[in-house]
Amino acid sequence: MSDAYGQLLDATIQHLENLKSRSVRHVTVAPETLLALSKPTVAAKSAPSPTRPAEKAAAAPEVNTASIPETTAGVSDSPVKKSAGLKIAAYTALSERARGCVKCPHLASSRKHVVFGTGSIDAQLMFVGEAPGADEDEQGEPFVGKAGQLLTKIIQATGLSRADVYIANILKCRPDTPGQAAGNRKPTPEEMQTCIPYLHEQIDLIQPKVIVALGATAVEGLLGKTVGITKLRGNWQTYRDTPLMPTYHPAYLLRNQSLSEKRRVWEDMLAVMEKLEMPVSDKQRHFFIKA
Ligand code: SF4
């Protein structure tokens, strides 16, 4: 049994055990999922394209099995379709586990939504931020507030869209702010430690080629480093063999509108594009440089 198959099977078993603990006695399973679970297969290697056009059917603002019928429709002997079905099943199981999570009772009782993640589960590029804010908690999707809109613009400036990449946070629930009507707070080390296994599993499933850590908390959560983001940004790090680029959180760019800071973030993105072997135009290369 391959490691990947074993991990996916573990995720599925965990999901079923969670359902059982909630007194669910029957589940509906698609035939292709059963077939995939019965025969471990080797996932096909894909070309180093940043967007994997052939698999774009899997991309959606919020990934779910309903959004990816083309990759799973019908029972096929294709190893790619079998492994895709298995990946979807494991992703769905993981997201449902997170959505029912009450490991941090104070956050579970104050949240409106668990903000699991969004984008393509086949993304080669993954962005990781800190935690959901009020807008994200309201909508159940990461990076949809003002900072999120800026992140969307940054992604689009590379030639990609939000649906081409995957976006998640260190913490899946909004840090509560008792007694405060507004504002955010940084997750505590205990909250981060409790929630980080979900992100590790997400990354293991998605297997991005490059991770961008947005801000110091994302770096701390993924790498355990508490070095200032000013020192770390722009310098490649490694998360479990995956290249990781630390850069400023878009919220910082909203607070600091200087062209030089925007250029620094853009230089980090240029490095990411080069690492992914994406084309870089002259225009892109000169963004935020004064004529
Ligand atoms: S923050 Fe994470 S670990 Fe804590 S309740 Fe939410 S999903 Fe569970």
Side-chain angles (χ1 to χ4, degrees):
M1 185 187 292
S2 72
D3 284 349
Y5 181 77
Q7 284 170 11
L8 295 176
L9 198 56
D10 285 344
T12 306
I13 291 167
Q14 176 72 51
H15 173 58
L16 291 172
E17 282 176 350
N18 286 345
L19 288 176
K20 193 177 169 191
S21 71
R22 302 207 302 264
S23 302
V24 176
R25 291 289 175 265
H26 297 95
V27 290
T28 305
V29 182
E32 63 271 21
T33 305
L34 276 180
L35 184 65
L37 285 169
S38 68
K39 292 178 187 173
T41 54
V42 178
K45 289 265 180 198
S46 61
S49 151
T51 55
R52 297 182 191 166
E55 298 171 8
K56 272 195 175 176
E62 184 66 30
V63 180
N64 56 53
T65 51
S67 71
I68 24 188
E70 289 169 34
T71 47
T72 57
V75 177
S76 162
D77 284 338
S78 157
V80 174
K81 285 193 177 180
K82 283 181 199 168
S83 62
L86 201 54
K87 186 173 182 179
I88 292 160
Y91 181 90
T92 305
L94 178 61
S95 71
E96 285 186 16
R97 217 167 1 116
R99 284 177 218 286
C101 179
V102 290
K103 285 185 200 165
C104 315
H106 58 299
L107 303 186
S109 62
S110 63
R111 74 189 178 209
K112 289 183 180 158
H113 288 101
V114 171
V115 182
F116 184 65
T118 189
S120 168
I121 60 170
D122 294 313
Q124 297 200 10
L125 177 55
M126 182 164 181
F127 291 87
V128 176
E130 180 175 303
D135 292 320
E136 289 75 20
D137 183 43
E138 190 70 45
Q139 297 183 42
E141 186 174 328
F143 283 93
V144 290
K146 282 186 181 162
Q149 288 159 20
L150 180 53
L151 176 63
T152 302
K153 282 186 189 167
I154 292 169
I155 292 167
Q156 289 168 342
T158 68
L160 299 174
S161 71
R162 276 174 74 99
D164 294 320
V165 303
Y166 191 88
I167 307 171
N169 281 311
I170 296 289
L171 212 66
K172 307 299 182 204
C173 298
R174 184 180 184 218
D176 60 345
T177 50
Q180 278 179 235
N184 295 317
R185 71 162 170 85
K186 187 186 164 186
T188 65
E190 292 74 27
E191 289 166 345
M192 288 167 65
Q193 209 177 2
T194 307
C195 201
I196 200 74
Y198 290 121
L199 183 61
H200 291 319
E201 283 192 56
Q202 267 172 307
I203 297 172
D204 285 348
L205 270 174
I206 293 165
Q207 296 188 329
K209 287 200 167 153
V210 171
I211 297 170
V212 175
L214 300 164
T217 304
V219 172
E220 187 181 336
L222 286 168
L223 304 179
K225 288 187 180 178
T226 50
V227 184
I229 189 70
T230 315
K231 282 192 181 150
L232 268 190
R233 67 136 287 277
N235 296 298
W236 284 108
Q237 308 290 312
T238 305
Y239 167 88
R240 298 183 180 177
D241 295 333
T242 303
L244 182 149
M245 174 56 77
T247 195
Y248 293 137
H249 194 286
Y252 168 75
L253 292 183
L254 291 176
R255 293 194 302 273
N256 186 335
Q257 295 279 340
S258 87
L259 211 57
S260 60
E261 295 297 66
K262 286 180 182 163
R263 174 67 195 176
R264 286 193 176 102
V265 170
W266 184 243
E267 280 169 5
D268 299 342
M269 292 310 302
L270 286 174
V272 166
M273 290 168 74
E274 281 166 4
K275 183 73 84 180
L276 289 170
E277 298 177 22
M278 292 170 63
V280 180
S281 69
D282 278 351
K283 188 179 170 193
Q284 285 173 315
R285 208 166 283 288
H286 294 103
F287 279 165
F288 305 113
I289 290 180
K290 280 184 187 166

